[in-house]
């Protein structure tokens, strides 16, 4: 199974950012318009991550750019 992995790295995490990320990890909503979160945790280096359902198609950036045209 292929998954998308979401991480927050490359900068110091504000406490509010970390709380929001952890809240996202705990929410388990089953709906056809919301991606599923399969796993959450921290790497050995302490970086928080979410393993999520991988969707095919254009990225959000690509879709927004196409709508501006």
């Amino acid at each position: 199974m292929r998954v998308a992995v979401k991480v927050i790295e490359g900068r110091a995490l504000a406490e509010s950012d970390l709380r929001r990320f952890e809240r996202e990890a705990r929410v388990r909503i089953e709906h056809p318009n919301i991606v599923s979160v399969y796993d959450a945790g921290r790497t050995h280096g302490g970086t928080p991550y979410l393993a999520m359902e991988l969707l095919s198609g254009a990225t959000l950036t690509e879709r927004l750019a196409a709508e501006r045209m």
Side-chain angles (χ1 to χ4, degrees), residues 29-36 53 55:
I29 300 172
E30 291 187 28
H31 189 278
N33 295 331
I34 299 174
V35 298
S36 297
E53 176 182 9
L55 301 179

Side-chain angles (χ1 to χ4, degrees), residues 2-6 24 35-39 50-54:
R2 294 180 63 188
V3 298
V5 178
K6 181 177 181 179
E24 183 179 350
V35 298
S36 297
V37 174
Y38 299 131
D39 190 26
L50 297 176
M52 307 168 77
E53 176 182 9
L54 179 63

